[in-house]
Amino acid sequence: MQLWEHHAVWRGLGRGQPVKLLISRQSAGNNGVFLKFLVVLTVCLAILSCQAKKSEYPPLTIAGSTSVEPFAEKLAEVFMKEHPGVLINVQGGGSSAGIYACRQGACQLGASSRELVESEKELIEIPIAWDGIAIIVHPSNPLKNLTLKELRQIFLGALKNWQDLGWGPQAIHVITREEGSGTRETFEHIVMEKKEITPGALVQDSNGSVREIVAADPYALGYISVGLVDDRVKALSIDGVAPTPENIQSKRYQLARRFLLVSRSEPTGLAKKFIDFILSPPGQRLLTLEGLVAVR
């Protein structure tokens, strides 16, 4: 039987030592993805428990959206500096995986960049910030605006060449997120009108990967969290509205969404203290400085 070797590193320890996991190829597919994800979380929790002797609280694990992940990591870093001995582990995996892990009790808090569907409504949701999905291109691209219809046509594969948008005769390299990504699900809900994204799109598993590809390819177009836009890429306006904090907060920018933390029950202990910090003026100010829009 062939085995996969999977490596996990818990950032909070600052040790950089990988945990090796061997997982059967028979666990491939969606169930296999969740299985590997849950095993990684289990090992991380075990490591955390061994290191948490000095804290009155057991370690806190947050898992899910790769859009929320870097902001949760920053918040956790600041919170742990202010509370020595407290341990908070932040994992990615995607919104759907994080919600699933939370429902199964594999983590205390799930992170989601999409709204909960009906079957997930038993979870308690805590909005922590507003975000927008930015449509990004290479800085050398002269385009400044797309209509929502043009954007839909690009991701349907019906509009394939930059020449059709007033630029040079070059193919549009479409970049999208993987199935289970909250960013993709929100994008599909707002933009695609229940139609499938073209199979010709290059699929990436994180906002960071999409950004790196677009930053290196003058003819690429993708979508990421507004909070992760930097000077390596350019965010386009949609129907003449730029993805600014003001336009996201007022919902004039059509691709606005909430960042959520979810829990199986009312948060207590360290989870409650961390959420209280996130929703406090210093926590909301930190998220604002990181490019998101405060919910309070």
Side-chain angles (χ1 to χ4, degrees):
M1 179 174 66
Q2 290 181 297
L3 298 173
W4 284 334
E5 185 178 89
H6 187 81
H7 294 264
V9 178
W10 183 61
R11 297 178 185 83
L13 291 174
R15 298 180 180 223
Q17 295 298 320
V19 177
K20 293 185 179 180
L21 304 176
L22 295 178
I23 298 177
S24 168
R25 287 193 180 275
Q26 293 174 351
S27 65
N30 287 336
N31 290 336
V33 170
F34 285 132
L35 175 61
K36 290 190 290 181
F37 185 70
L38 293 177
V39 172
V40 170
L41 286 175
T42 300
V43 172
C44 288
L45 283 170
I47 295 171
L48 288 167
S49 297
C50 293
Q51 299 293 326
K53 304 300 184 183
K54 296 181 181 179
S55 174
E56 62 179 299
Y57 298 108
L60 172 64
T61 297
I62 304 167
S65 168
T66 61
S67 297
V68 178
E69 183 180 11
F71 304 105
E73 286 179 337
K74 184 67 177 178
L75 289 161
E77 179 184 344
V78 172
F79 186 85
M80 287 189 291
K81 283 183 179 178
E82 294 178 356
H83 300 82
V86 165
L87 299 175
I88 301 175
N89 173 40
V90 179
Q91 297 287 327
S95 295
S96 294
I99 291 168
Y100 180 87
C102 181
R103 294 175 75 188
Q104 297 300 310
C107 64
Q108 294 97 318
L109 295 174
S112 178
S113 57
R114 64 163 173 83
E115 296 297 322
L116 300 181
V117 300
E118 193 61 37
S119 62
E120 300 163 345
K121 290 292 188 179
E122 80 276 10
L123 294 173
I124 294 170
E125 59 178 52
I126 305 105
I128 62 169
W130 280 96
D131 179 46
I133 298 177
I135 308 305
I136 58 169
V137 295
H138 191 274
S140 66
N141 190 320
L143 198 67
K144 295 182 179 179
N145 179 74
L146 282 173
T147 67
L148 195 65
K149 182 178 178 180
E150 287 170 337
L151 182 61
R152 185 180 306 117
Q153 291 298 303
I154 290 170
F155 278 86
L156 284 172
L159 203 166
K160 300 181 179 181
N161 201 291
W162 287 112
Q163 191 170 24
D164 298 326
L165 295 166
W167 196 23
Q170 295 288 342
I172 301 173
H173 301 160
V174 180
I175 318 298
T176 189
R177 289 293 307 279
E178 80 286 4
E179 295 283 353
S181 157
T183 303
R184 175 167 174 157
E185 291 187 31
T186 302
F187 180 87
E188 289 177 331
H189 175 72
I190 297 173
V191 176
M192 300 306 294
E193 294 184 335
K194 298 183 179 179
K195 297 177 182 176
E196 295 291 328
I197 290 175
T198 172
L202 179 63
V203 178
Q204 295 297 302
D205 64 1
S206 71
N207 282 269
S209 297
V210 174
R211 183 179 59 192
E212 292 302 317
I213 290 174
V214 173
D217 183 354
Y219 308 113
L221 178 143
Y223 55 89
I224 64 172
S225 165
V226 165
L228 298 177
V229 173
D230 59 24
D231 58 8
R232 292 174 292 170
V233 296
K234 180 171 73 174
L236 301 180
S237 296
I238 301 299
D239 287 329
V241 180
T244 63
E246 295 76 19
N247 289 336
I248 291 169
Q249 191 169 43
S250 68
K251 299 183 184 178
R252 286 190 64 232
Y253 185 71
Q254 298 176 72
L255 277 67
R257 60 174 176 177
R258 298 189 302 171
F259 278 175
L260 306 173
L261 293 178
V262 298
S263 174
R264 291 204 298 177
S265 58
E266 284 294 339
T268 59
L270 182 55
K272 184 179 186 306
K273 285 188 172 294
F274 186 53
I275 289 169
D276 288 345
F277 165 69
I278 294 172
L279 297 178
S280 70
Q284 292 288 287
R285 186 162 52 248
L286 177 58
L287 288 174
T288 301
L289 291 174
E290 292 294 316
L292 298 179
V293 177
V295 292
R296 291 189 174 183

